[in-house]
Amino acid sequence: MMYRPHYERLTDPVDVGSADRPGEFPPDDETVDVAGVELPPGRSRYYTRDGTTTGIRLGWETAEPIDDAYRVWLSLVRVFSTTGLWPVVGRLGYGTARPWEQHHHWKRETAQDRPNTIERVLAEAWDGQAWCDARTGARLPETRPPFGGLAPGTAETGTNLFPSTDAWWYRPGVITLIAVKYPWEAPGVGGWDLALNQSLIGADFSAVLKSWQERFGAHMLSAAELVVTRPPQDSDQAVRLAEEHRLVCPYDSQFHDPDERPGEYADGLIGSTRWQFWWD
């Protein structure tokens, strides 16, 4: 799937910040008010183990899609530091089971024996994409240019500016609330599982999102889409960031489309206010 860059005007000031603590979920099956933002009735989602629901909450989601999902999302982002509930349009994952409880080879989200940083995630992705002998499985001599390191971030200029709700149409969707202290924690807490075929779990994507938020003001809008308040401004940033995107999401056809000239994806990142991914 090929995504095109988006260049919405960044006009709505929002001081996202962090919460004092993860928030309390709304009650189930009734209309709720989340710090002044009214939401229709919804229900909590729980982790399951061996097909049985546990008492561990993934999040809370509206029972029906909301027409003006982006407007509601941005309203909830505005009050996040008060509520400790990060909003996501749609669900964060396909299922409700933890991978390591279904497959013994999966690493745990709470593993303490490896640093939970973007550097570790990208290094593992780089290592996992090395060429191997088809018969023996032995690793072949390295011919790829070395990874150029993380892209330099775009400097902060004060309060984050988000795309205006007046200028941006967004498809209807349920609103999911994830109880976290920091926005980037949402994938690890909320059961994000879009990249299991790449051995990436929610904690991995949280580590990536933390770095992208710090460097580019990237915030999770949906499980596969980020709103970016400080996008890259030059080709050096964009080329290096494009390589980060490719390592995190290597099977996305936007990195392999034969109709795209080399560097076109990186060019599109300059000034782009949304990043979209496709894990298949």
Side-chain angles (χ1 to χ4, degrees):
M1 179 178 292
M2 183 63 202
Y3 290 116
R4 299 297 176 184
H6 299 268
Y7 303 108
E8 292 93 1
R9 292 182 59 201
L10 300 174
T11 59
D12 281 14
V14 180
D15 185 10
V16 178
S18 61
D20 290 336
R21 63 184 66 84
E24 297 291 331
F25 289 111
D28 290 348
D29 299 321
E30 60 183 72
T31 300
V32 297
D33 183 291
V34 181
V37 182
E38 186 173 299
L39 294 176
R43 285 205 162 189
S44 298
R45 294 185 77 216
Y46 295 86
Y47 275 117
T48 56
R49 183 181 296 117
D50 297 326
T52 302
T53 299
T54 71
I56 305 172
R57 284 186 178 183
L58 283 163
W60 180 97
E61 66 181 41
T62 58
E64 300 293 336
I66 293 175
D67 287 337
D68 199 356
Y70 176 70
R71 180 189 59 79
V72 175
W73 177 84
L74 188 58
S75 296
L76 290 165
V77 168
R78 291 182 189 280
V79 297
F80 166 71
S81 61
T82 299
T83 66
L85 297 171
W86 185 259
V88 177
V89 178
R91 288 182 172 177
L92 272 184
Y94 297 116
T96 55
R98 287 168 162 167
W100 59 84
E101 292 178 345
Q102 294 181 304
H103 309 287
H104 71 277
H105 62 278
W106 276 93
K107 52 187 179 283
R108 294 184 62 89
E109 300 243 6
T110 55
Q112 300 297 315
D113 59 347
R114 63 196 223 291
N116 198 31
T117 64
I118 189 173
E119 289 85 357
R120 190 268 307 163
V121 174
L122 296 183
E124 289 183 0
W126 175 265
D127 189 62
Q129 294 174 30
W131 288 97
C132 297
D133 187 286
R135 294 173 300 170
T136 66
R139 186 163 176 163
L140 297 174
E142 186 61 75
T143 59
R144 298 174 295 173
F147 175 56
L150 298 182
T154 300
E156 296 187 41
T157 57
T159 302
N160 283 323
L161 295 176
F162 282 72
S164 170
T165 57
D166 296 330
W168 190 8
W169 173 88
Y170 197 77
R171 62 186 179 275
V174 300
I175 294 291
T176 297
L177 301 177
I178 311 296
V180 290
K181 183 176 179 179
Y182 301 101
W184 50 265
E185 293 178 315
V189 172
W192 184 88
D193 64 2
L194 268 65
L196 297 185
N197 64 337
Q198 196 186 328
S199 297
L200 284 181
I201 56 177
D204 297 323
F205 197 51
S206 279
V208 171
L209 187 56
K210 178 178 186 290
S211 180
W212 287 349
Q213 181 180 324
E214 291 171 348
R215 287 181 289 146
F216 299 104
H219 297 83
M220 177 168 276
L221 171 64
S222 72
E225 186 169 6
L226 309 180
V227 172
V228 185
T229 62
R230 290 182 281 115
Q233 299 299 304
D234 60 52
S235 59
D236 177 60
Q237 282 181 298
V239 167
R240 292 165 68 177
L241 177 62
E243 179 65 2
E244 294 181 38
H245 285 193
R246 189 190 66 80
L247 288 171
V248 171
C249 189
Y251 306 123
D252 195 326
S253 62
Q254 61 188 327
F255 303 122
H256 309 290
D257 192 325
D259 295 328
E260 298 298 316
R261 65 176 177 80
E264 185 160 352
Y265 178 78
D267 291 345
L269 288 175
I270 299 174
S272 180
T273 54
R274 271 189 279 169
W275 300 343
Q276 297 168 304
F277 302 93
W278 182 263
W279 290 274
D280 193 5

